[in-house]
Amino acid sequence: MKRFKTWTLLGLALLAAITAQARSLDEVRKEGKIIIATEGQFAPFNYFQGAKLSGFEVELAELVAKKMGVSVEWKALGFDALLAGLRQDRWDLVIASHGITEERSRAVTFADPHYCSGGSIVSLDPAIRTTADLNGKVISVQTGSTYMDNVRKLAGVKDVKNFPQDTDARSALVSRRVDAWVTDKFVASIAIAANPGAGMKLGDFVFIERIAAAVGKGNASLAQGYNKALADVLADGSYSALSKRYFNEDVRCK
Ligand code: ARG
């Protein structure tokens, strides 16, 4: 009986996953609310200020949603769960600094990029600045990130240690458990400025990437509605103002 129940539940979950229909732009508009998931552990892009979700991407998504004529219901989850949840229709959109990759594009539909950046080397040792300097070194990265994928591809790296949160990858560097941390360039600069005593130094890019929000695979209407609203925000000066407030520069893709 117990076995039967388990299988029934599994079957139902599978059916729900297969039949789940991503909500179209019209459906989202009709409800007046878009459900957006992010991580909340990737300052300054998405992080908690006390109990409040904040950051460049959080504020940007609020601006975009406003142009779309809807309010935002936020969900904060582990980085790993975000794109997977889109496939199960647990939220409408994810904005969490995902780089557009071929592999991810097979599973989700990316919107237009909202900033351009890249994975940069951070180290306590001024002699570790370039990808060549990573030879024979131990590197920390966030699990499931493009930093992990790209550092793993480097020949000569001794070991890649991955951590569920980027902040833990940073701690591993600060406590000298690794030789370098690879993370987003802006995340790195802001972490360095916020912890002057830690002695972290910013090195070269390992790779560059275009960062975008994602919707369920094939949810073209929602992607288009979001893209149009993003284009408005990019054109009307509000993106610029927001970006300068966080980074002292405009971080849009050029
Ligand atoms: N840009 C990297 C990637 O695409 C890291 C994103 C990390 N985002 C986060 N919210 N922790 O995988």
Side-chain angles (χ1 to χ4, degrees):
M1 185 59 194
K2 186 146 180 261
R3 211 138 154 222
F4 174 74
K5 222 167 144 185
T6 312
W7 280 109
T8 312
L9 282 176
L10 266 173
L12 280 175
L14 197 67
L15 197 70
I18 294 168
T19 55
Q21 265 289 296
R23 298 199 305 161
S24 68
L25 177 64
D26 278 351
E27 286 167 311
V28 167
R29 280 220 168 110
K30 211 158 137 203
E31 210 206 321
K33 186 183 81 182
I34 185 168
I35 304 173
I36 307 185
T38 190
E39 185 198 30
Q41 309 292 341
F42 201 57
F45 293 104
N46 58 79
Y47 63 101
F48 280 94
Q49 219 163 22
K52 196 180 165 346
L53 201 53
S54 61
F56 176 70
E57 288 179 309
V58 173
E59 290 198 47
L60 178 63
E62 295 275 356
L63 289 173
V64 172
K66 199 163 172 205
K67 294 264 186 210
M68 293 169 76
V70 297
S71 65
V72 180
E73 179 183 328
W74 285 101
K75 306 254 185 220
L77 291 109
F79 185 64
D80 261 9
L82 296 171
L83 297 186
L86 274 181
R87 307 186 74 165
Q88 299 157 351
D89 199 30
R90 291 174 62 200
W91 33 82
D92 301 305
L93 185 132
V94 166
I95 189 162
S97 287
H98 285 91
I100 301 175
T101 67
E102 240 177 67
E103 196 189 338
R104 287 173 178 164
S105 298
R106 284 197 281 273
V108 301
T109 292
F110 277 107
D112 291 338
H114 58 275
Y115 73 95
C116 267
S117 187
S120 294
I121 299 165
V122 186
S123 175
L124 306 178
D125 178 351
I128 304 177
R129 277 184 311 106
T130 68
T131 46
D133 299 334
L134 298 183
N135 213 327
K137 299 292 189 287
V138 180
I139 322 293
S140 63
V141 292
Q142 181 175 29
T143 312
S145 67
T146 50
Y147 318 128
M148 182 178 88
D149 296 341
N150 283 276
V151 171
R152 277 187 178 163
K153 278 191 223 146
L154 296 176
V157 165
K158 185 170 165 200
D159 195 12
V160 183
K161 296 214 179 297
N162 61 83
F163 297 86
Q165 292 185 7
D166 190 58
T167 46
D168 296 324
R170 178 184 74 201
S171 303
L173 172 67
V174 173
S175 59
R176 298 177 187 274
R177 281 173 284 151
V178 298
D179 302 303
W181 165 43
V182 172
T183 189
D184 179 85
K185 183 186 85 173
F186 298 108
V187 169
S189 319
I190 277 162
I192 291 170
N195 305 279
M200 293 184 279
K201 287 162 197 72
L202 183 62
D204 288 358
F205 275 129
V206 176
F207 65 99
I208 55 169
E209 62 181 352
R210 298 186 319 139
I211 306 290
V215 298
K217 180 81 181 158
N219 191 352
S221 73
L222 191 61
Q224 275 159 21
Y226 169 96
N227 285 343
K228 198 181 161 300
L230 174 64
D232 287 350
V233 169
L234 283 161
D236 73 2
S238 49
Y239 179 97
S240 259
L242 179 67
S243 179
K244 285 186 182 139
R245 176 149 58 78
Y246 274 93
F247 307 105
N248 291 317
E249 64 179 291
D250 190 314
V251 297
R252 78 180 67 195
C253 297
K254 280 154 194 127

